[in-house]
């Protein structure tokens, strides 16, 4: 089976779908791997490194049009659809609802497309879980951005020039990104507290050395699948007041809260920002889906009421080497699951295939 790896063309995308090490493993497993010239350059993976592991390097039209499966980070660019082989397959990381027109075009081209955003969070799919691997990168990088933007040290320092207190970091949302943010802030020496509507995370937060902020929530805020649910209006109002109090004490707030397929919930209102200490920093990694802070401007760094508010987009791309390495591992695990004996094995009874397949045989399966 022939696998193609194009150069990512989206603005500010530095990741590549396969790093040379992963390409080499696929070659050993019997796949032919064709990489577009310069595909890995943003992630410090030169063409020669791919050649050294048995992959070939070719132009874009070959990589998209003459392979069985295209492995990529971002969904296809609309202008590229005609370059894909009719009836071919692709795996990428995208929310189908974000661009229904593109999904329609992929169906018209009879592409079998999979999105790892839709992968079920089940134990046997853990090695393919790109949402988790990329959220790990985002949580880590958010803390580094905060450390650069704040005027303070993270650790407590006792020096001849005086004693400086440790920074107080508040992490909102303790899923994969939030837990990584907690761990990173702790390693830098901050005093960390965290909040999430899912009570199940309390122990995980505490095991990382952070305090878990308790708010009585009367409704059940967790789905059977382990994700958060949208809160009722009344509980949300209580949450906003509770978090406004917590934010007053913080030097840094990292927000990571999300509800799958929905706009991010607002956790820090404009009034809460006004109540924060001047010089405080908010890093809102939910900026891409609307933001957890009412004042966040996606893709910008702004200052409101003396508080620096960062709304970074595509954080995983800013750590391209390790983000690509992890994503390549996820993709390889997915590919070896769906490809058997040189053919795609589309068992739609298998939740891994059923849930991730967006278009197949001219039809849109996941609008
Ligand atoms: P996510 O990115 O959808 O959300 C991030 C966090 O925001 C979640 O912890 C959520 O509870 C929280 N949140 C949502 N609304 C909130 C609000 N109003 N206030 C405060 N916090 C709010 O979640 P995720 O990080 O992708 O993963 C969440 C769940 O998936 C976890 O239970 C995790 O353990 C589970 N998971 C399972 C597997 C597996 O079993 N293979 C793999 C990865 C993750």
């Amino acid at each position: 089976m022939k696998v193609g790896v194009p150069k990512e063309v989206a603005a500010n995308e530095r990741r590549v779908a396969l790093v040379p090490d992963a390409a080499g493993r696929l070659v050993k497993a019997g796949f032919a791997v064709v990489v577009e010239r310069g595909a890995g350059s943003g992630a410090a993976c030169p063409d020669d490194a791919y050649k050294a592991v048995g992959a070939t390097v070719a132009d874009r039209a070959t990589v998209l049009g003459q392979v069985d499966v295209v492995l990529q980070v971002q969904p296809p660019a609309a202008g590229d659809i005609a370059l894909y082989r009719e009836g071919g397959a692709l795996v990428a990381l995208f929310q189908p609802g974000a661009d229904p027109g593109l999904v329609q075009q992929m169906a018209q081209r009879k592409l079998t497309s999979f999105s790892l955003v839709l992968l079920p969070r089940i134990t046997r799919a853990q090695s393919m879980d790109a949402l988790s691997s990329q959220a790990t990168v985002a949580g880590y990088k958010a803390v580094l951005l905060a450390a650069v933007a704040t005027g303070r040290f993270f650790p407590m320092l006792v020096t001849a020039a005086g004693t400086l207190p440790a920074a107080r970091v508040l992490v909102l949302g303790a899923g994969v990104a939030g837990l990584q943010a907690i761990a990173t802030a702790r390693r830098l020496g901050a005093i960390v507290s965290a909040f999430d509507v899912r009570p199940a995370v309390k122990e995980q937060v505490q095991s990382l050395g952070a305090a878990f902020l308790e708010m009585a929530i009367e409704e059940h805020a967790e789905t059977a699948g382990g994700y958060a649910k949208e809160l009722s209006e009344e509980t949300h109002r209580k949450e906003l007041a509770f978090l406004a109090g917590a934010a007053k004490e913080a030097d840094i707030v990292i927000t990571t809260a999300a509800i799958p397929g929905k706009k991010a919930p607002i956790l820090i209102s404009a009034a809460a920002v006004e109540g924060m200490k001047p010089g405080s920093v908010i890093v809102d990694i939910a900026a891409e889906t609307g933001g957890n802070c009412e004042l966040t401007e996606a893709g910008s760094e702004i200052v409101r009421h003396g508080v620096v508010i960062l709304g970074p987009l595509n954080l995983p791309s800013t750590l391209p080497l390790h983000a690509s390495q992890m994503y390549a591992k996820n993709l390889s695990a997915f590919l070896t699951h769906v490809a058997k004996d040189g053919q795609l094995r589309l068992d739609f009874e298998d939740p891994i295939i059923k849930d991730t397949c967006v278009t197949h045989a001219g039809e849109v399966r996941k609008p």
Side-chain angles (χ1 to χ4, degrees), residues 275-292:
M276 288 174 69
K277 292 182 280 189
S280 306
V281 174
I282 298 173
V283 179
D284 186 350
I285 70 172
E288 220 139 334
T289 51
N292 291 143

Side-chain angles (χ1 to χ4, degrees), residues 249-310:
E249 309 295 321
D251 302 307
I252 283 141
V253 180
I254 311 265
T255 68
T256 75
I259 295 163
K262 297 228 158 89
K263 192 179 168 299
I266 293 291
L267 305 185
I268 300 287
S269 63
V273 174
E274 207 171 338
M276 288 174 69
K277 292 182 280 189
S280 306
V281 174
I282 298 173
V283 179
D284 186 350
I285 70 172
E288 220 139 334
T289 51
N292 291 143
C293 171
E294 199 177 350
L295 300 180
T296 296
E297 290 182 13
S300 301
E301 175 173 336
I302 57 172
V303 181
R304 295 289 181 272
H305 310 294
V307 177
V308 182
I309 306 171
L310 279 70

Side-chain angles (χ1 to χ4, degrees), residues 193-268:
S193 53
F195 175 74
D196 196 296
V197 280
R198 291 182 300 122
V201 300
K202 177 177 171 178
E203 267 181 41
Q204 296 167 35
V205 166
Q206 290 173 336
S207 72
L208 290 170
F212 186 73
L213 301 181
E214 309 257 6
M215 176 189 131
I217 297 178
E218 268 120 55
E219 62 200 80
H220 193 64
E222 187 163 346
T223 64
Y227 282 113
K229 280 202 274 204
E230 233 169 342
L231 298 176
S232 67
E233 227 172 276
E234 196 198 331
T235 308
H236 185 226
R237 215 173 317 123
K238 276 194 204 157
E239 183 187 22
L240 284 178
F242 175 73
L243 294 179
K248 271 187 194 163
E249 309 295 321
D251 302 307
I252 283 141
V253 180
I254 311 265
T255 68
T256 75
I259 295 163
K262 297 228 158 89
K263 192 179 168 299
I266 293 291
L267 305 185
I268 300 287

